[in-house]
């Protein structure tokens, strides 16, 4: 299997069988993220433990395969991280998508989400790929924007 096919396979799998899609009871932080240029519309829900670590996360909403797969992969990646670490991870993902970060050792930190690397060559899909990540960063930096209180 070629690497490109493997990447496509990973994205498909997360899109068809998302592990983290649904509604969470009593989330601590909730924020909707919309990408009007494609019609992607997600709501991200985060649960934090006493130490401020992300102990669980889920998303609801709809959108194209890339937006849905990306947010599902993101959630896999950020559970267990504290706020600063999760924001840093978002910056790393953005760096990869913009084509600024190409070092594979560094991108390993993104696990499955590194499969979206080639999106940097598809400008029309960039907003789809980053939707979940920018929404996560926004709510962690501005917790008072949460929509559940
Ligand atoms: Zn999209």
């Amino acid at each position: 299997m070629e690497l490109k096919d493997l990447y496509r396979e990973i994205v498909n799998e997360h899109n068809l069988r998302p592990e983290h899609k649904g509604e969470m009871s009593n989330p601590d932080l909730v924020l909707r993220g919309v990408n009007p240029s494609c019609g992607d519309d997600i709501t991200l829900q985060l649960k934090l433990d006493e130490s401020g670590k992300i102990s669980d996360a889920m998303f609801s909403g709809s959108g194209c395969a890339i937006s849905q797969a990306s947010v599902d992969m993101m959630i896999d990646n950020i559970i267990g991280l504290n706020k600063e670490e999760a924001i840093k991870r978002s910056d790393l993902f953005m760096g990869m998508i913009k084509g600024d970060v190409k070092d594979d050792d560094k991108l390993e930190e993104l696990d499955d989400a590194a499969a979206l690397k080639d999106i940097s060559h598809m400008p029309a899909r960039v907003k789809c790929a980053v939707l979940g990540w920018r929404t996560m960063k926004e709510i962690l930096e501005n917790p008072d924007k949460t929509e559940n209180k």
Side-chain angles (χ1 to χ4, degrees), residues 128-141:
C128 304
V130 303
L131 177 63
W133 298 80
R134 73 167 166 78
T135 305
M136 181 262 289
K137 183 175 176 174
E138 190 180 349
I139 192 62
L140 288 174
E141 286 180 339

Side-chain angles (χ1 to χ4, degrees), residues 18-107:
E19 270 179 66
H20 305 286
K21 190 162 186 178
E23 301 283 343
M24 180 190 291
S25 56
N26 302 315
D28 294 303
L29 298 172
V30 179
L31 190 67
R32 186 173 170 202
V34 179
N35 169 25
S37 62
C38 176
D40 309 317
D41 186 343
I42 60 153
T43 297
L44 183 67
Q45 310 148 60
L46 300 178
K47 189 111 166 146
L48 307 176
D49 70 13
E50 319 79 62
S51 65
K53 277 189 182 154
I54 299 168
S55 58
D56 198 9
M58 290 190 92
F59 74 101
S60 58
S62 60
C64 66
I66 288 175
S67 69
Q68 300 282 297
S70 184
V71 65
D72 196 58
M73 296 192 278
M74 178 193 82
I75 291 174
D76 271 346
N77 193 258
I78 60 167
I79 289 177
L81 301 186
N82 67 30
K83 184 179 143 180
E84 288 72 28
E85 291 166 335
I87 290 171
K88 243 176 102 183
R89 208 53 71 78
S90 171
D91 291 341
L92 176 61
F93 184 83
M94 301 285 183
M96 176 186 80
I97 293 293
K98 285 185 196 149
D100 297 339
V101 182
K102 295 186 170 121
D103 179 353
D104 283 329
D105 289 340
K106 194 93 190 90
L107 296 181

